[in-house]
Amino acid sequence: MRFDWTDQGTPTVEAARCTGCGLCTRLCPDQMFQLENGKAQVVAGSFLGCIACGHCVAGCPTGCITVRGRGMTGDDALPLPPKDTQASADQLRTLMLTRRSIRRFTAEPVDRAALDQILEAATTAPMGIPPSDVGVLVFHGRDRVQAFSEDACAAFARLGWLLHPVTLTLMRPLLGKENHRAMRDFVRPLLQALVAERAAGRDDFTYDAPAAMLFHYGPESDGADAHIAATYAMLMAESLGLGSCMLGTTAGLSHDKQFKQKYGVPPKNKFGLGLVLGHPQEVFQRGIRRRLADVRFA
Ligand code: SF4
């Protein structure tokens, strides 16, 4: 489903089952519902109209609202697991604290069922505005991941002109001082090192992982949507006992038509994070305290 500003969701209310509780009138961010004669009626929204956020469907106590369009089919309500099966704060913290970036994997393959669970978790990620315009390339099996790694490193090699010191100097007014320095002193040497390692038969890009995912997003959506979806996928992988490592260099693939063409990614889409997955070789004994750069209650 491609993102389209002009598409609208169409909510409908099954009047016979509506109790007139009014919850939908409070939940809808665009005031698409009004109570008339004790029943919910769909009215024109106050701003964007129905964006198919699903709040009304999720909240209606009798389940009498359906929404079609803008990515919804009218059959999107899922039963929620019992509240007492929800992860506690301690469980969630344990998951997050235990997770480390894994770059050494055993030979054990990743089950297809696990990949499906990880992808399903990515679909639950919040997004700026529905429908999602995030896509995922899935590489299942070492051979496919290696082919991806090979193609990505070839694309990085083709990016040489863009990261050439002369090009970067010309682009400095657009990039800004800090970005220019980061591209020159970090991104360029890093991509060059990945290409050189690949040429030497070593895989420092996907770490010889047995599975990988590459998130991408459309030109009218926010890159944060792809990053959050990748983060949800990563957390689900951790809960399934899989190690993972996020790849940021994948953003560079956004500039390579050949790579996009080969994998059927729309030309204007950009790549967000990559995620390599597998069974970790090592077990870690403790978490590491991290600190945000700046926290203040303003
Ligand atoms: Fe009717 Fe459901 Fe809206 Fe309550 S939330 S008023 S039952 S449509």
Side-chain angles (χ1 to χ4, degrees):
M1 164 79 49
R2 295 255 67 82
F3 186 89
D4 183 353
W5 281 102
T6 62
D7 192 16
Q8 290 259 316
T10 305
T12 52
V13 178
E14 193 184 328
R17 292 167 61 207
C18 174
T19 62
C21 71
L23 183 60
C24 53
T25 66
R26 299 189 294 276
L27 285 179
C28 178
D30 211 56
Q31 289 99 47
M32 294 283 301
F33 298 93
Q34 275 179 10
L35 284 185
E36 286 175 29
N37 302 320
K39 299 282 181 185
Q41 304 286 330
V42 178
V43 295
S46 61
F47 179 46
L48 288 175
C50 177
I51 59 165
C53 70
H55 260 25
C56 56
V57 176
C60 174
T62 67
C64 68
I65 305 177
T66 52
V67 174
R68 289 185 173 78
R70 213 173 157 110
M72 291 187 76
T73 64
D75 185 28
D76 308 284
L78 297 174
L80 286 177
K83 193 77 178 162
D84 60 6
T85 63
Q86 180 177 306
S88 67
D90 279 347
Q91 288 169 327
L92 192 56
R93 180 175 182 272
T94 300
L95 182 80
M96 291 166 166
L97 196 59
T98 307
R99 192 212 70 83
R100 298 206 59 74
S101 295
I102 300 299
R103 298 179 182 84
R104 286 165 48 83
F105 301 98
T106 69
E108 187 179 348
V110 174
D111 288 343
R112 170 60 196 262
L115 292 181
D116 289 341
Q117 275 182 279
I118 291 166
L119 290 167
E120 203 267 340
T123 69
T124 66
M127 67 194 84
I129 190 166
S132 172
D133 202 10
V134 173
V136 192
L137 290 174
V138 183
F139 306 95
H140 189 197
R142 275 197 163 75
D143 289 351
R144 284 168 199 248
V145 178
Q146 282 306 298
F148 159 50
S149 179
E150 187 87 44
D151 290 333
C153 288
F156 293 149
R158 289 191 291 272
L159 277 181
W161 67 271
L162 188 61
L163 296 171
H164 190 279
V166 174
T167 317
L168 289 178
T169 302
L170 289 171
M171 288 168 53
R172 185 177 153 142
L174 289 175
L175 290 171
K177 185 179 164 190
E178 291 78 12
N179 280 337
H180 172 263
R181 197 171 64 181
M183 297 292 269
R184 184 193 64 195
D185 298 345
F186 176 67
V187 176
R188 183 168 185 266
L190 175 62
L191 294 187
Q192 285 178 328
L194 292 178
V195 172
E197 288 296 305
R198 184 83 228 172
R202 291 183 291 271
D203 178 23
D204 277 2
F205 176 57
T206 55
Y207 307 110
D208 206 20
M213 294 182 179
L214 178 53
F215 291 78
H216 57 93
Y217 56 99
E220 291 180 90
S221 60
D222 194 317
D225 288 353
H227 305 331
I228 298 170
T231 305
Y232 271 44
M234 179 193 70
L235 291 173
M236 177 55 86
E238 183 71 25
S239 77
L240 293 169
L242 293 170
S244 66
C245 185
M246 282 181 160
L247 312 177
T249 47
T250 44
L253 299 170
S254 303
H255 305 284
D256 194 75
K257 282 184 194 163
Q258 203 171 314
F259 182 89
K260 288 181 185 173
Q261 210 164 24
K262 172 162 182 180
Y263 288 103
V265 173
K268 290 187 178 174
N269 274 30
K270 291 182 179 166
F271 290 103
L273 292 165
L275 190 65
V276 291
L277 301 155
H279 296 271
Q281 276 192 23
E282 283 87 23
V283 175
F284 291 93
Q285 303 300 327
R286 52 197 65 83
I288 298 295
R289 188 188 313 281
R290 301 279 193 206
R291 293 168 182 85
L292 299 174
D294 182 31
V295 178
R296 65 184 76 185
F297 291 73

